[in-house]
Amino acid sequence: MLTFVLMLSFTEENYLKSLFQLTVETALKEEAGTNELAAHLGVKPATVNDMLKKLKEKKLVKYEKYGKSSLTKEGRKIAIEVIRKHRLWETFLFEKLEFSWDEVHEVAEQLEHIQSKKLIDQLDKLLNYPVSDPHGDPIPNAKGELLILHQHTLAEELVGHQCKMTGVKDNSSPFLKYVDQLGLAITKTIKVLARHEYDDLIEIEVNGKRISVSPKLAENIFVVCTACKKKSKR
Amino acid sequence: MLTFVLMLSFTEENYLKSLFQLTVETALKEEAGTNELAAHLGVKPATVNDMLKKLKEKKLVKYEKYGKSSLTKEGRKIAIEVIRKHRLWETFLFEKLEFSWDEVHEVAEQLEHIQSKKLIDQLDKLLNYPVSDPHGDPIPNAKGELLILHQHTLAEELVGHQCKMTGVKDNSSPFLKYVDQLGLAITKTIKVLARHEYDDLIEIEVNGKRISVSPKLAENIFVVCTACKKKSKR
DNA sequence: TATATTTGTTAGACTTACCTAACAAATTAA
DNA sequence: TTAATTTGTTAGGTAAGTCTAACAAATATA
Ligand SMILES: [Mn+2]
Ligand SMILES: [Mn+2]
Ligand SMILES: [Mn+2]
Ligand SMILES: [Mn+2]
C-alpha cells in the first residue's frame, strides 16, 4: 500500500507549529482563534482565515466558520515533527557549533523546514538523543512522543519555596541575554524570598545572592518546585 | 557607511548558481543562453526571461535582449557563496552524518539557502576547512576564492596514460551508485589500456582489474593525468 | 541569399501567500 | 436586552514564480 507524502510549504508548516504551540503545548487549551494565530504568526487575521480553510481541506486542522481551530491527529503529528527538528537543530548549533542560547532560535527557524528523514535521525544520533534543547524545551523523540514537563513560571512560585530553573518561555535574544546577565540559567536553584506589594518586584536568591526581578521577567522563567509535587511523562 | 544586504529568494540564488555553473565553472564559456539556463534549472525559457530581467535590475547579471547572459561581479560573489554553502553541507553530511556520496546532493540543495554567516563559518571550522567536497569539487574559501582544478574527463585521457580520479561531473544518485559498483572512486589510479573503435568502449585498469566503460560514463569522470602537466591555483 | 530551424520574447493566466477595507457574527458591558 | 466591542469573514488586490501559446529575432542550411 502506497502512502502519499503530502508536501507542505514552509508557511503551512509554520501555521501547524503555531497552532500546536498555542494549544497542546500550553496544555490549558484545546483550540485557538483566528486573531490569536495571526498575532502569533505576525500576519493579518484575513490571511490566517484563508490558510485555515486550506489546511482544513488537507485534513490537518479542524475549523468551522466563526469557531476556534484545532489540529487533527495528522496535523498534530506534522507540528511535532517540525518542533522536533527545530529543537534538534538548536541543540546542534549550541553543542557543536559554539552558538549561544540566544543565537540558536533564529537559525533553527530556517533549518526546521529541511526535508530529510535521514538528516534528522543522524543529527539525533550525533547529539546522543538529547531530551531537551538549550532553552529547556523538551525534544519530541523519533516516534513523536513529547515529554510534558510539570513546570510553572517563577511568577507563580510561592514565597519561601525553593525551585530549580528548567526553561524559558520567551526565546528572543534580548530576553535571553538579560537572563544571562542576571546570573540565571537552566538548572540553577532559585529561592523566592519575598514579593513586594509596593512595586510587584520579586526578591529571589540565586548563586548565593539576593536579587529583585520584575513580574514580566518571572513570567518568562520556567521552574519546577522541589517543595511541591513533581511528575513527568512522555 | 551602511552596506545594504539585499536579501535574495531561494529561486534567485538558484538562478545565479546555475549561471555560474554554466559559465565560469566550466571555464570555457563566459555567457549562457536563456534556453540553456532553462534546461539546467528545469523551468521554461519564458520563466528564465522574466528572472533575467529582474536580476539585471538588481545588478546581478548582465543581460541584453536576444543576447547571452553573464554574472556581474556581485552576482558572481553570491553564486560562489551559495556553492560554498552547498559543498560544505555535502561534506558535513558525508563526514559527520554517515551519508553516502550519492545522498548528499539532494539535501545540500535545500541547506545551501540557509542564511547565517556564523553557521557557515562554524561548519567550516568543524570540518577543519576542507578544500573539496565528497564529489571532488573544490570548496570556495571564506574569502570567495575558488580552486580551479586542471582536470579533464576520463573520456579525453590518452591511451597508455595513467591518471588519478579527482571527481565526477554528474552528481545524480544513480550515476554515483554505478561508479561505486565499478570500483571507481576519488583518488583511485586509472590506466587507459585501449579504446575500441567497434563500440567506443574504453578499456581501463583500476584496482588491478581490467574493465570496459562507456564513453557516457567516461565523460562524467574527472581525472588528473600524471603523464601530462598538472597545476592548480586558487 | 532565401528559407528553415533554433533561440528568445511577449502577453496573458494561474497559484501561493500576503494585504486592506468593508462587513457580519459573537461576545461583553451598560 | 440593547449597544458597544471584539472577533472573524469576505471581496478584491498585489508580488513572486511558474506556465502556455503566439510571435520575433538570430542562426544555420540549402
Ligand atoms: Mn526556538
Ligand atoms: Mn528552544
Ligand atoms: Mn538550490
Ligand atoms: Mn558536490
Side-chain angles (χ1 to χ4, degrees):
Chain A
M1 172 218 164
L2 277 177
T3 313
F4 286 94
V5 184
L6 80 150
M7 248 307 243
L8 298 181
S9 65
F10 285 24
T11 309
E12 289 169 316
E13 288 193 344
N14 283 336
Y15 276 81
L16 296 177
K17 188 176 65 146
S18 269
L19 188 46
F20 184 86
Q21 287 174 337
L22 289 174
T23 57
V24 183
E25 196 156 57
T26 32
L28 307 167
K29 284 202 302 178
E30 256 289 295
E31 311 170 304
T34 304
N35 286 10
E36 211 180 336
L37 268 164
H40 197 251
L41 286 157
V43 298
K44 298 296 173 202
T47 307
V48 172
N49 192 268
D50 286 348
M51 185 59 90
L52 286 173
K53 287 180 197 159
K54 182 163 44 134
L55 292 173
K56 180 189 179 168
E57 208 51 47
K58 295 190 177 187
K59 301 205 190 313
L60 299 172
V61 306
K62 287 170 231 162
Y63 162 76
E64 293 304 331
K65 210 168 156 179
Y66 292 108
K68 305 283 175 189
S69 304
S70 61
L71 290 168
T72 62
K73 198 144 192 202
E74 178 63 12
R76 180 193 155 108
K77 191 186 130 227
I78 293 167
I80 289 175
E81 277 166 11
V82 176
I83 288 170
R84 169 169 157 80
K85 289 193 277 181
H86 182 99
R87 294 181 183 164
L88 279 174
W89 278 115
E90 285 191 346
T91 306
F92 170 73
L93 296 173
F94 187 77
E95 297 289 337
K96 304 290 181 185
L97 298 188
E98 303 175 31
F99 275 61
S100 51
W101 77 333
D102 64 286
E103 293 173 320
V104 300
H105 182 78
E106 189 189 330
V107 182
E109 278 298 311
Q110 300 177 60
L111 288 163
E112 72 188 5
H113 303 291
I114 304 292
Q115 304 295 156
S116 167
K117 179 159 171 19
K118 179 163 187 172
L119 176 59
I120 292 309
D121 291 347
Q122 287 297 127
L123 206 56
D124 199 13
K125 184 179 176 189
L126 179 76
L127 298 169
N128 207 217
Y129 311 101
V131 298
S132 61
D133 80 8
H135 310 107
D137 295 315
I139 299 176
N141 67 18
K143 288 182 213 144
E145 295 165 332
L146 182 61
L147 188 78
I148 303 291
L149 294 175
H150 284 234
Q151 59 191 6
H152 50 268
T153 69
L154 177 58
E156 297 162 297
E157 190 54 87
L158 303 171
V159 174
H161 277 200
Q162 184 161 296
C163 55
K164 194 189 278 192
M165 179 164 160
T166 51
V168 289
K169 190 180 273 179
D170 182 353
N171 274 4
S172 74
S173 184
F175 172 72
L176 297 174
K177 281 186 169 143
Y178 184 34
V179 171
D180 282 339
Q181 251 178 47
L182 292 170
L184 289 167
I186 290 168
T187 76
K188 290 271 181 183
T189 294
I190 299 170
K191 185 166 182 185
V192 180
L193 302 171
R195 256 160 225 285
H196 299 289
E197 287 293 322
Y198 178 68
D199 56 7
D200 289 331
L201 291 197
I202 302 164
E203 204 173 331
I204 61 173
E205 185 182 305
V206 66
N207 301 315
K209 286 186 308 190
R210 302 169 80 95
I211 58 171
S212 287
V213 299
S214 66
K216 184 176 175 191
L217 180 122
E219 273 158 26
N220 283 292
I221 303 281
F222 285 125
V223 296
V224 291
C225 182
T226 11
C228 312
K229 61 191 164 294
K230 55 175 176 182
K231 262 176 283 182
S232 61
K233 57 165 190 196
R234 272 279 173 197
Chain B
M1 172 220 167
L2 277 177
T3 314
F4 286 95
V5 185
L6 81 149
M7 247 307 242
L8 298 181
S9 65
F10 284 25
T11 309
E12 290 170 313
E13 287 192 345
N14 283 336
Y15 277 81
L16 296 177
K17 188 176 65 146
S18 270
L19 188 46
F20 184 86
Q21 288 174 337
L22 289 174
T23 58
V24 184
E25 197 156 56
T26 31
L28 305 167
K29 284 201 301 176
E30 256 289 295
E31 311 171 304
T34 304
N35 287 11
E36 209 180 337
L37 267 163
H40 197 251
L41 286 157
V43 298
K44 299 295 174 201
T47 307
V48 172
N49 192 268
D50 286 347
M51 185 58 89
L52 286 174
K53 287 180 198 159
K54 186 169 34 142
L55 292 174
K56 180 190 179 167
E57 206 52 46
K58 294 190 178 187
K59 302 205 190 311
L60 300 172
V61 307
K62 286 170 233 163
Y63 162 75
E64 293 305 331
K65 211 168 157 179
Y66 292 107
K68 306 282 176 192
S69 304
S70 61
L71 291 167
T72 62
K73 199 145 191 199
E74 178 64 12
R76 181 192 154 109
K77 193 187 129 225
I78 293 166
I80 289 175
E81 277 165 11
V82 176
I83 288 170
R84 170 170 157 79
K85 289 193 278 182
H86 183 99
R87 294 181 182 165
L88 280 175
W89 278 116
E90 284 191 345
T91 306
F92 169 74
L93 296 173
F94 187 77
E95 297 290 336
K96 305 290 181 184
L97 299 189
E98 303 175 30
F99 276 61
S100 52
W101 76 333
D102 64 286
E103 294 174 319
V104 300
H105 184 78
E106 189 190 329
V107 182
E109 275 301 310
Q110 300 177 60
L111 288 163
E112 72 188 5
H113 303 291
I114 303 292
Q115 302 298 156
S116 166
K117 179 157 171 20
K118 180 163 186 170
L119 175 59
I120 293 309
D121 291 346
Q122 287 296 128
L123 206 56
D124 200 12
K125 183 179 175 188
L126 179 76
L127 299 168
N128 208 217
Y129 311 103
V131 299
S132 61
D133 80 7
H135 310 108
D137 294 315
I139 299 176
N141 67 18
K143 287 181 212 143
E145 295 164 332
L146 182 60
L147 188 78
I148 303 291
L149 294 175
H150 285 234
Q151 59 190 7
H152 49 269
T153 69
L154 177 58
E156 298 162 297
E157 191 54 87
L158 304 171
V159 174
H161 277 199
Q162 183 160 296
C163 56
K164 192 188 277 192
M165 179 165 160
T166 51
V168 290
K169 191 181 271 180
D170 183 352
N171 274 3
S172 75
S173 183
F175 172 71
L176 297 174
K177 280 185 169 143
Y178 184 33
V179 171
D180 282 340
Q181 252 178 47
L182 293 170
L184 288 167
I186 290 169
T187 76
K188 290 271 182 186
T189 294
I190 300 170
K191 185 165 181 185
V192 180
L193 302 172
R195 257 161 224 285
H196 299 290
E197 286 294 322
Y198 178 67
D199 56 7
D200 290 331
L201 292 196
I202 303 164
E203 204 174 332
I204 61 173
E205 184 183 306
V206 66
N207 302 313
K209 287 186 307 189
R210 301 169 81 95
I211 57 172
S212 287
V213 299
S214 67
K216 184 175 175 191
L217 181 121
E219 274 158 26
N220 283 292
I221 302 281
F222 285 125
V223 296
V224 291
C225 182
T226 13
C228 310
K229 61 192 163 292
K230 55 174 175 181
K231 263 177 283 182
S232 62
K233 56 165 192 200
R234 270 280 174 198

